[in-house]
Amino acid sequence: LTYPSAPLFLLYNTELMKGMCTSIFDYCESNRWGFDFAAHDLGTYPHANNQVYAQRFPGSNGEFGGNMPIEESANMVILAAAISISDGNTDWADRYWKTLTTWTEYLAENGTDPENQLCTDDFAGHFAHNANLSIKAILGIASYGYLAGVLGDQATCDKYMGQAKSMATEWEKMANDGDHYRLTFDKPGTWSQKYNLVWDRLLNFNVFDPQIAEKELAFYPSVQNTYGLPLDCRETYTKSDWIMWTATMAEDDEFPLFIKPMWDFMNETTDRIPLTDFYYTDKPVHKQFRCRSVVGGYFMKMLDKRLNN
């Protein structure tokens, strides 16, 4: 849950953000790993003694299983850039430059049109050609380019920023579905929240055409339900942290349009449980999760204000 909870820690204490990321980098650089993409987990609390999450999906996708190669690799590179921007230096990221390079190369090779992998919304299962996951890969590559530029390596910065922009242009063509963009590149008539796109605004990379976010935000009200914007067209459930990220891409006067339905759910739900981040948008009932650190994602709008004002 390092990535979903990141806005809270980037806003208030980057040392805690570094702590969560450092353990992942150190594990992936140890002899316990060995893949050219980042690990999902380190073990089951309180023992960080080997990844176990993949066992939940044994044999479901060849060597990947329950791993999330594009998801987790891009998470770490994006967060390395976000930490550096928040701190005003790249001192922490410099320690892991070789690993960041390896993961960025993986994203560059595999991120344009992802194959059949899990993403962070693992409850929806494996699926290929995930447009939102591709956005994350592209912004991971841009994050690496940014870091290279800060380090004074302009040639590397130009190379990866250029590749990210080229991939973003291709993304727009593959995902375009008229008045919105698709859930997967190969399925017209589908849609999803493109919450990963928020980092392009937040970190001021300007890799994607701003009209992409504008088109998505204009479309979402047409599919929004009483208690919020569904995660995508497949189900009525949503993730409240991702709604907050999606809403952060809107202008200040449009932000409440996405947040008020979520407030209504929290106010009217018939469940008496700690705050849920996974609930139905057509009835005031939670789907599954409760009391999770992903609500750190609720601070995304505040982080945007911090970085861009």
Side-chain angles (χ1 to χ4, degrees):
L1 305 181
T2 301
Y3 176 78
S5 66
L8 172 66
F9 300 105
L10 290 168
L11 182 64
Y12 289 115
N13 192 331
T14 55
E15 292 304 309
L16 295 176
M17 186 83 261
K18 293 172 193 174
M20 287 187 281
C21 294
T22 293
S23 57
I24 296 171
F25 277 99
D26 287 351
Y27 172 74
C28 291
E29 291 182 353
S30 75
N31 60 10
R32 287 180 176 272
W33 190 234
F35 294 98
D36 57 355
F37 53 80
H40 172 277
D41 66 276
L42 310 177
T44 301
Y45 181 84
H47 303 293
N49 56 7
N50 214 355
Q51 178 176 258
V52 298
Y53 188 82
Q55 297 171 15
R56 289 181 57 186
F57 300 88
S60 57
N61 190 31
E63 66 172 314
F64 297 144
N67 285 304
M68 306 179 187
I70 290 176
E71 177 78 37
E72 304 298 359
S73 299
N75 284 354
M76 293 297 102
V77 187
I78 290 171
L79 292 178
I83 288 169
S84 299
I85 290 172
S86 295
D87 279 357
N89 63 72
T90 62
D91 294 349
W92 178 83
D94 293 349
R95 296 160 49 186
Y96 301 106
W97 191 252
K98 182 178 179 180
T99 300
L100 287 167
T101 302
T102 298
W103 291 344
T104 301
E105 289 297 332
Y106 180 88
L107 296 173
E109 183 175 347
N110 299 282
T112 299
D113 188 3
E115 56 187 314
N116 192 36
Q117 297 185 7
L118 284 177
C119 71
T120 189
D121 303 318
D122 53 4
F123 46 79
H126 289 76
F127 65 103
H129 317 298
N130 184 337
N132 190 43
L133 186 59
S134 178
I135 290 174
K136 178 177 282 190
I138 293 167
L139 292 175
I141 294 167
S143 295
Y144 181 82
Y146 163 80
L147 290 169
V150 175
L151 289 171
D153 186 349
Q154 195 59 45
T156 298
C157 174
D158 292 343
K159 173 185 175 181
Y160 286 95
M161 277 295 187
Q163 181 167 2
K165 290 180 180 179
S166 177
M167 290 170 68
T169 299
E170 186 66 18
W171 184 95
E172 199 281 333
K173 295 175 183 176
M174 294 191 300
N176 200 329
D177 206 46
D179 62 350
H180 67 280
Y181 295 93
R182 300 174 181 178
L183 166 67
T184 63
F185 297 129
D186 61 331
K187 289 184 172 61
T190 60
W191 59 268
S192 64
Q193 288 191 49
K194 306 302 189 296
Y195 55 82
N196 286 319
L197 192 59
V198 71
W199 293 105
D200 201 31
R201 169 193 173 111
L202 208 73
L203 304 181
N204 286 299
F205 289 156
N206 301 312
V207 168
F208 286 86
D209 187 327
Q211 292 184 354
I212 292 174
E214 292 171 6
K215 181 189 287 190
E216 282 287 282
L217 291 166
F219 171 78
Y220 291 149
S222 69
V223 292
Q224 184 166 263
N225 291 325
T226 302
Y227 296 112
L229 178 64
L231 185 65
D232 58 50
C233 58
R234 294 173 294 177
E235 301 281 353
T236 61
Y237 58 57
T238 195
K239 289 287 274 84
S240 56
D241 48 338
W242 298 150
I243 288 179
M244 191 68 74
W245 291 33
T246 295
T248 298
M249 293 188 286
E251 297 302 321
D252 287 348
D253 60 340
E254 298 176 335
F255 181 78
L257 298 177
F258 299 98
I259 303 306
K260 187 181 183 302
M262 187 169 71
W263 161 262
D264 290 339
F265 172 85
M266 302 303 176
N267 193 42
E268 298 174 16
T269 179
T270 55
D271 297 319
R272 290 297 176 259
I273 58 173
L275 185 65
T276 179
D277 59 281
F278 189 25
Y279 66 88
Y280 294 101
T281 59
D282 57 347
K283 53 188 175 183
V285 179
H286 85 291
K287 167 68 174 171
Q288 182 179 359
F289 307 139
R290 63 186 72 179
C291 196
R292 300 204 307 159
S293 63
V294 301
V295 297
Y298 287 14
F299 292 77
M300 182 60 90
K301 181 69 170 178
M302 295 172 67
L303 180 61
D304 178 47
K305 292 291 187 181
R306 164 77 63 81
L307 296 180
N308 292 308
N309 281 342

